[in-house]
Each structure stands twice: as structure tokens, then as C-alpha cells.
Amino acid sequence: MSHISIHNLSYVLPNGRILFSDLNESFGTERTALVGRNGTGKTVLAKIMADILTPTSGSVVRSGIVRYVDQIVAPASFKNAADMAGLANVIAALKRIEEGRGEGEDFTLADGNWDIRERLEREFKTAGLGHIAPETPATQLSGGESTRVSLVGAFLSQADFLILDEPTNHLDVKNKEALLEYLKTWRGGLLIISHDRFVLNRMERIVELSLHGLRNYGGNFALYKERKEEEHSAAVAHAEHLRTERKRTVVEQRESMERQQKRERRGKKDAAKGGIPKIIAGGLKRQAEITTGKLQDKHTEKLAEIAAAEYEASMLAKSEEPVVLIPPLCSVHDSKVVLTLKNLVLPYGTSRAPINFTIMGPERVAIEGANGSGKTTLLRVIMDMLAPKSGSSELKVPFAYLDQFAALPEDKSALQCLMSVSEGLNLGEAGTRLAQIGIAKERMHLPVSVLSGGERLKTALLCALHSTPPPQLLILDEPTNHLDLDSVESVEKVLNAYTGAILVVSHDRHFLENIEANRRLLLEKD
């Protein structure tokens, strides 16, 4: 049975920061998802499990061959589909043998793989890629096709265990479903790193990597969410109990010290009245001072223990501050025409039918369609960055655009970014706005380059909302790609507080539901 076990695993980054330490867990044939905030080390852990990276300490026990499939499959890096599947050398060797030009290495590659071309074509069909041949140029493959071709190669690699890193990041719903259906045919071990709730709801087990190590939650996303909420409630209650205990201990210790000081004062009076010899009186004084010192040390030690426990409990109970977005005048009246598309035909993409569409008031519209249908092209036409093939696009309100990369000056801080786009916003006001969306005070002054994906996107959103003039339409292109679960939920809160119109491209159904995208524009081939 396919199996990977990690024992006391630790990894230290080149700069000396401990990424994770003392991790222990076992992974078998149960469909498992690995989740966790960005920066906790999920990809590093996966590559250690696949024997691509070496841990700083600890060990990994593998029962068979482990294949790691990276989240980024760049078609330009490969010649054709066979090359992307990792089988180009074997197929080329078979061809040389068939032509009578085979050499010793060719026969070594061909051993056990005489039917590899037929198996590859058969696997392509199983994966819903029957239209692709081994010789199909890689640059002709879409993002979804590239991911599945790489997965086919992993299936045929004689691996016993697959580790997939964010395999659905750029896939539309149809491709996600096809990928998950294909994975059902896999009989070996499987670990998927993902923040995609569409995927997580189809897993048999969820394991979370955090600052506290690895935690097995079992079940799918719904069960994971339920248990996380229970954990948080318990942690909040425990932190509150420790806070109360600390306050009670402080009162008790103050009263104890006061009683000890009263005894000392009474002892001094008795010594003065009773004519106790000086040598004895001095000894009693020293003893009292020693007793008081020991009592203070004991009190300090106990308080330190409680404070440490309280801090740890507070960290476990910590959640993001509630988002309180106070945008400028972004509201759009219900009768206001925001965007009009008339007989619009896109210059690129597979969508050929003329588009007629109108957004009025603060509507939230999702643009949907298969990969390559022209969703991003449509956004570029709307923003007047591309000319349509025919027809017209008329945008009638100020807008702001944000994509998945949340482009901001890398060397500037969040405060500097916000103040640079908003006229009349001073340092104090900028800090207040950032705090209101959950950016911690100490993080506001850091360069954008070191912020997390969620912090960058929230900062970019705030900059967009406070730009001059204030946008009455937000145009978003896959804004949640590359974000962890907590960051996605935080961005949803910011968008739900926004009072203008939204036009969004996203394959995340949960995200669209949570921001109440109440209309959709579907791009089809006809």
C-alpha cells in the first residue's frame, strides 16, 4: 500500500528562520488535502516528502515512488504534449528503434514501455483530452489542458504516490470537475495542496499546517470548517479563563504581600517595645526580608507561567479583526447605467456570438466561461485596453481594476501606497483605513514585497477604493487565486462592504456566492 510517513521533520530557511519543526504525520491512500496559510511551508513540506528537498532534521519513510506535480505548468517550457507528460524521450527512443536506428540507451528506455504511445493516447481519452495527440505543440494547450497532461504523465510514471500542488488554480469549473473525475481512477496515495473549496469538499481528509504543526481534521471542507469553529470557540473561552485567573492571582498576591508587610511592621514594633537584643532583632529582620523576597519570587514565577499560558491561548484564539470598510462616495444609484455592451464581438477567444449586456446600479456580475473563451479579453475591451472586433463597449462611471497579482510598488509600504493614490488622505487617516480592513499596525510600515497575499490584495483593494476619483465599478480578474482560506474570507468581507458595482471573473463558486454575485455573463462559442 502506498504510504509516506514523516518523523520529527524540521526545516530552517537560509536566513535562519524556522519554517516548521517536529512534524509527524502519515499519509496513505486516503484522498488528503493539505491546507494552511500562505508562508507556512506547504510546498516545502511537499517537496521534502517527494525527495526533491532535504529536511534540516527528521526523516521521511516512503513505501514506493513519489511523484510531485508543480502548480505552475508553463507550456512554453515544453516541445509537445508528450514532452509535458515526461514521455518524449521514451517515445523518441521507440521511434528510432522502429526506424532501425536504435542504440543501447534506446532499448533501455523502451524496456517495459513498448506500448507507451498507445497507453498515453488511451490515458488522454480517459482524462477528457482525446483531441490531443503526443505531438500536439505544448503552446497550443490551455492552462487546464496543461495541468491534466502533466497529471497524465504522473499517472503513467509508475509512481505509487502523487502530490499535486494547487492543481486547480487556473481551471474553470468544467476543467476542475474533469480533473477530479480523472483523479477518481487513481488507486495510489494522493495528497493535494489546495485552498479551493470546490476541491476540499471532495476530499476524504484535511490536514492543516500551521505555526503549531500538523493537525489532522479528517473529512471534507464542511467538517474542517465546523471543527475549526469549535476549536476557536474553545480557545477563546480558555483564553478568557486564563485572563480571569491572571487578574485574580494579581489580587491574591497583592493581598498576600500586604499581609506579609503588616507582619514585618508588627515585628519591628514588638522589637522596639520588648527590648529584644539587637543581634536577635537583626536576625528576625533578615529572616523577614528573605521571606518577603521568596514570596515575591514565587508570585513573579506564578504570574509569568499564567501570562505565558494566556499568551499561547490568545494566539490560538486570535482571529482577524472585523472588517469595517468606510469607502469614499462609491455608491451607485439603482437607475444609474454603469456599463453597456452592444453587439460586441471580441478580438480574441473562442466566444464568437455578439454580446449585448447592461449593468445598472450596484449590481454584482460574474463573467463565466471555459478557459480560453475570452473572459480576460472582455475585461480589457471594457477598460479600453483592446479594441473589439466589432460592436461597442461604453463604461459610464469611474472604475478600478484588480487582478490576482495585486500589483503594487514592491519597495513601498502599504501606508505609502494608499497615501500616493488618494488626494488629501493624511498619515493618520491612511493608518485608520488600513486598520479597519485588518492590516496590523506593525505591518503597515513594511515593504509590500514582504506582505502576505491576503495583505497585498486587501491593500490593493483599499488603494483602488480610495483612488481619485472613487470607483463606482470594481473590475476583478481571478482575485482569489494564490490566496489561503483565511485571506479569501477576509477579501469577501471587504467586497461585501463595498457599495458600488462589481464585475468579476472567477472560477470559485463559493467566492461568487459569498460576495452575492447576483447576475452572470456566460461566454460561449456561439
Side-chain angles (χ1 to χ4, degrees):
M1 184 178 74
S2 306
H3 189 83
I4 300 178
S5 294
I6 60 176
H7 304 280
N8 302 319
L9 213 61
S10 299
Y11 192 85
V12 180
L13 296 172
N15 63 6
R17 181 169 77 87
I18 299 174
L19 190 60
F20 50 73
S21 62
D22 298 322
L23 300 185
N24 293 277
E25 191 54 71
S26 294
F27 302 89
T29 54
E30 199 173 22
R31 269 45 180 166
T32 301
L34 179 64
V35 302
R37 290 189 173 185
N38 291 336
T40 54
K42 298 183 297 297
T43 293
V44 170
L45 175 59
K47 288 184 176 181
I48 289 174
M49 291 170 64
D51 204 20
I52 297 171
L53 289 177
T54 302
T56 304
S57 62
S59 61
V60 181
V61 177
R62 308 172 186 86
S63 66
I65 299 171
V66 181
R67 177 73 176 259
Y68 170 81
V69 180
D70 205 319
Q71 60 178 296
I72 300 173
V73 181
S77 303
F78 303 95
K79 182 179 179 182
N80 52 34
D83 187 23
M84 187 176 284
L87 298 170
N89 290 342
V90 178
I91 290 176
L94 288 170
K95 185 177 181 180
R96 286 191 293 269
I97 292 171
E98 290 170 1
E99 294 173 350
R101 300 184 293 110
E103 298 180 358
E105 187 178 346
D106 293 331
F107 286 94
T108 300
L109 286 171
D111 186 29
N113 289 311
W114 296 102
D115 63 341
I116 192 63
R117 183 184 180 86
E118 291 74 17
R119 283 161 51 203
L120 179 59
E121 291 174 344
R122 186 167 60 248
E123 207 66 37
F124 277 164
K125 289 180 181 178
T126 303
L129 303 170
H131 59 289
I132 295 176
E135 294 78 20
T136 299
T139 51
Q140 291 183 12
L141 304 180
S142 70
E145 290 170 339
S146 297
T147 298
R148 280 189 281 160
V149 166
S150 298
L151 192 56
V152 164
F155 270 47
L156 293 173
S157 67
Q158 299 181 328
D160 301 287
F161 200 108
L162 292 184
I163 300 177
L164 312 181
D165 197 346
E166 296 283 6
T168 63
N169 244 6
H170 302 281
L171 303 191
D172 56 40
V173 174
K174 183 179 177 181
N175 273 304
K176 288 181 185 181
E177 289 175 341
L179 178 73
L180 291 172
E181 282 299 310
Y182 184 50
L183 283 173
K184 287 181 181 178
T185 66
W186 177 252
R187 294 292 173 263
L190 179 65
L191 176 66
I192 298 179
I193 299 174
S194 182
H195 299 126
D196 190 334
R197 291 166 286 194
F198 185 87
V199 174
L200 298 179
N201 266 328
R202 288 158 177 77
M203 292 291 103
E204 297 172 326
R205 182 170 77 124
I206 292 180
V207 176
E208 183 183 69
L209 177 61
S210 70
L211 295 174
H212 307 287
L214 282 171
R215 174 74 185 276
N216 178 16
Y217 285 88
N220 60 10
F221 178 73
L223 181 61
Y224 165 76
K225 187 77 174 172
E226 180 183 330
R227 290 185 174 175
K228 286 287 288 183
E229 288 172 356
E230 289 173 354
E231 268 186 10
H232 184 257
S233 297
V236 169
H238 183 52
E240 185 58 37
H241 169 74
L242 288 172
R243 194 172 296 114
T244 302
E245 184 182 350
R246 174 174 55 80
K247 290 178 180 178
R248 180 177 55 78
T249 302
V250 169
V251 172
E252 289 177 352
Q253 291 180 356
R254 184 173 63 246
E255 291 174 348
S256 175
M257 288 299 297
E258 287 174 354
R259 287 195 296 271
Q260 175 62 22
Q261 288 167 357
K262 284 180 181 178
R263 284 194 292 269
E264 287 184 27
R265 287 195 296 270
R266 190 165 54 247
K268 289 178 180 178
K269 285 183 180 180
D270 291 343
K273 289 179 182 178
I276 298 175
K278 288 185 177 181
I279 189 168
I280 296 176
L284 290 173
K285 182 182 178 182
R286 285 192 296 275
Q287 185 60 44
E289 290 172 349
I290 292 171
T291 301
T292 301
K294 286 182 177 179
L295 192 60
Q296 286 177 333
D297 290 343
K298 185 179 179 181
H299 289 172
T300 301
E301 185 179 343
K302 185 176 181 181
L303 267 179
E305 288 176 0
I306 295 174
E310 183 187 347
Y311 175 78
E312 186 175 346
S314 298
M315 289 298 100
L316 288 171
K318 187 178 180 181
S319 60
E320 282 201 344
E321 293 296 320
V323 170
V324 185
L325 182 64
I326 306 177
L329 300 175
C330 298
S331 298
V332 185
H333 193 274
D334 289 350
S335 61
K336 172 72 175 177
V337 176
V338 173
L339 172 70
T340 302
L341 306 177
K342 291 183 180 178
N343 297 317
L344 185 73
V345 177
L346 299 177
Y348 315 118
T350 58
S351 181
R352 295 289 178 263
I355 303 170
N356 290 281
F357 197 81
T358 300
I359 297 178
M360 292 188 67
E363 290 188 302
R364 298 180 169 218
V365 179
I367 300 177
E368 298 181 351
N371 288 125
S373 61
K375 298 184 295 296
T376 297
T377 299
L378 175 57
L379 295 185
R380 291 170 66 83
V381 169
I382 289 171
M383 293 184 290
D384 203 23
M385 298 169 67
L386 275 178
K389 190 173 183 180
S390 61
S392 66
S393 167
E394 190 174 0
L395 186 54
K396 300 188 178 185
V397 297
F399 74 93
Y401 170 69
L402 200 66
D403 64 10
Q404 60 189 289
F405 303 107
L408 292 168
E410 296 284 310
D411 57 338
K412 286 188 176 181
S413 68
L415 276 170
Q416 291 171 326
C417 289
L418 181 54
M419 292 176 66
S420 68
V421 299
S422 185
E423 293 180 4
L425 195 68
N426 61 39
L427 184 64
E429 291 170 332
T432 298
R433 296 290 186 271
L434 288 165
Q436 286 169 340
I437 64 166
I439 306 295
K441 185 176 180 180
E442 64 273 12
R443 307 284 291 175
M444 297 176 190
H445 300 275
L446 298 176
V448 164
S449 58
V450 302
L451 297 183
S452 70
E455 289 170 328
R456 288 170 69 105
L457 189 60
K458 286 193 292 183
T459 300
L461 264 175
L462 199 64
C463 289
L465 295 176
H466 282 275
S467 59
T468 305
Q472 293 181 306
L473 172 68
L474 275 182
I475 299 177
L476 309 172
D477 193 356
E478 294 288 1
T480 60
N481 270 5
H482 314 297
L483 295 190
D484 57 46
L485 292 169
D486 290 337
S487 295
V488 171
E489 290 180 358
S490 181
V491 169
E492 289 171 351
K493 291 175 184 176
V494 173
L495 292 177
N496 283 332
Y498 174 63
T499 56
I502 293 177
L503 185 62
V504 55
V505 172
S506 178
H507 298 307
D508 187 338
R509 286 177 174 173
H510 292 271
F511 172 72
L512 294 176
E513 289 173 4
N514 290 343
I515 67 167
E516 299 181 358
N518 49 19
R519 290 182 69 197
R520 72 171 185 157
L521 173 58
L522 178 62
L523 299 187
E524 297 182 305
K525 292 184 179 180
D526 48 50

